[in-house]
Amino acid sequence: MCDHNKNIYLPYLATVEEVIDETPDVRTLRLVFQDEQVREGFNFRAGQFAEYSAFGAGESTFCIASSPTRKGYIECCFRAVGRVTESLRRLEVGDTMGVRGPYGNSFPIEQFFGKNLLFVTGGIALPPLRTLIWNCLDWRDKFGDITIVYGARTEADLVYKRELKEWEARSDVKLVKTVDPGGNGPEWDGKVGFVPTVLDELAPTAENTIALVCGPPIMIKFTLPVLEKLGFGDEEIYTTLENRMKCGLGKCGRCNVGNIYVCKDGPVFTAKQVKAMPLEY
């Protein structure tokens, strides 16, 4: 989408259309491109990411968290942890910011047709899978069972709470939500325990099922053996990595793992591909 620019680092201008506070420190921005041609022609696939800029502060890398099936806008979701994200957080409805992208590969969703889908995610790692979840729900008849296992440290740390309620109410989605021990209040109606432990107890079938995993490294570390025990093969497990991505174009060398550039070769990888990466990762 950036080919029309002579400068490949020149972002599109976008207007903040909506601001949604997901948690006390996690915010969603809904963005609308100001140029009509860009707005109508911007296409992406679930799993791709973009560079979001706050003018005068810099750029940050996030996935595109909205579904490619929802046209006319894109959404990003981030935690304010540094200069750029703090600047993005200060933006209000009607403000202008920059967007470069889309970049990277995507989930091979067509290969998932006819299969059950198991989403396993934790904390603020839900947004990279949320784009795929909504993509699949908008094409619901193309998939078998859809199960979502999502956890966070506390109830307050769960993002997209309104959508969790929507998924929970659907008869064609099984949502299993969990919080860490001590993170539950008196009204909590979900599980209590770490995501890998809850997944082990749930024991979903691996037969004709694709597992899609995204979360903190420690969650992924303990989830992969559980999936292996349940019978999932390394090529039936997908994850998405954010590894120090900066330019988004494979030029700055910030995200490479060995000879793999996460921004160009990823960010979506199978477990088999991840295991083949150098030990430094």
Side-chain angles (χ1 to χ4, degrees):
M1 281 298 297
C2 285
D3 291 345
H4 75 289
N5 294 320
K6 292 181 180 179
N7 184 341
I8 58 176
Y9 297 105
L10 188 64
Y12 298 115
L13 298 180
T15 300
V16 178
E17 185 182 66
E18 187 175 0
V19 174
I20 304 168
D21 285 323
E22 307 291 354
T23 75
D25 61 351
V26 176
R27 175 164 285 184
T28 288
L29 299 181
R30 176 172 290 194
L31 309 172
V32 175
F33 292 107
Q34 295 179 357
D35 185 287
E36 184 177 352
Q37 286 188 325
V38 175
R39 189 165 58 247
E40 295 179 353
F42 189 90
N43 292 307
F44 66 98
R45 288 176 59 87
Q48 289 191 289
F49 67 95
E51 300 289 340
Y52 304 87
S53 52
F55 301 127
E59 288 183 325
S60 276
T61 306
F62 316 121
C63 68
I64 301 175
S66 49
S67 171
T69 53
R70 313 290 175 94
K71 302 295 184 182
Y73 66 90
I74 64 170
E75 290 180 346
C76 64
C77 183
F78 59 93
R79 173 177 284 132
V81 293
R83 185 181 65 167
V84 178
T85 49
E86 290 286 357
S87 296
L88 289 172
R89 185 175 175 80
R90 286 193 288 271
L91 295 176
E92 299 177 348
V93 172
D95 285 346
T96 295
M97 57 179 283
V99 179
R100 287 196 293 120
Y103 298 127
N105 67 355
S106 60
F107 292 101
I109 190 169
E110 291 81 5
Q111 296 179 26
F112 304 160
F113 288 175
K115 295 183 179 295
N116 305 316
L117 301 179
L118 171 66
F119 295 90
V120 184
T121 182
I124 197 175
L126 177 56
L129 292 186
R130 181 236 195 184
T131 174
L132 182 61
I133 291 171
W134 277 119
N135 196 155
C136 294
L137 292 179
D138 285 345
W139 295 350
R140 187 63 187 88
D141 60 344
K142 296 183 182 296
F143 306 97
D145 295 339
I146 293 181
T147 302
I148 303 168
V149 181
Y150 174 50
R153 290 183 304 165
T154 70
E155 291 180 57
D157 292 315
L158 295 166
V159 299
Y160 300 130
K161 293 182 180 64
R162 65 200 178 283
E163 295 175 33
L164 297 180
K165 290 182 179 178
E166 186 175 344
W167 297 340
E168 203 164 26
R170 292 180 63 136
S171 60
D172 58 355
V173 175
K174 182 177 183 178
L175 172 68
V176 179
K177 58 188 181 183
T178 183
V179 295
D180 290 354
N184 54 308
E187 304 297 324
W188 176 244
D189 59 355
K191 302 277 189 181
V192 175
F194 299 118
V195 168
T197 304
V198 171
L199 178 66
D200 196 13
E201 295 170 351
L202 184 65
T205 179
E207 184 177 353
N208 194 40
T209 303
I210 297 293
L212 303 124
V213 182
C214 188
I218 192 68
M219 191 210 84
I220 294 177
K221 177 181 178 180
F222 288 105
T223 295
L224 292 181
V226 173
L227 291 173
E228 184 177 353
K229 188 179 82 170
L230 293 171
F232 285 86
D234 286 346
E235 294 186 273
E236 297 159 339
I237 302 170
Y238 288 80
T239 189
T240 176
L241 306 178
E242 292 183 9
N243 193 58
R244 305 185 297 272
M245 290 191 289
K246 185 67 175 176
C247 72
L249 298 163
K251 296 183 179 299
C252 72
R254 289 279 299 272
C255 69
N256 64 300
V257 182
N259 61 355
I260 296 172
Y261 284 79
V262 175
C263 70
K264 290 182 65 178
D265 302 314
V268 176
F269 297 95
T270 63
K272 181 179 180 180
Q273 292 171 315
V274 172
K275 289 181 178 179
M277 292 181 181
L279 291 178
E280 66 187 77
Y281 188 77

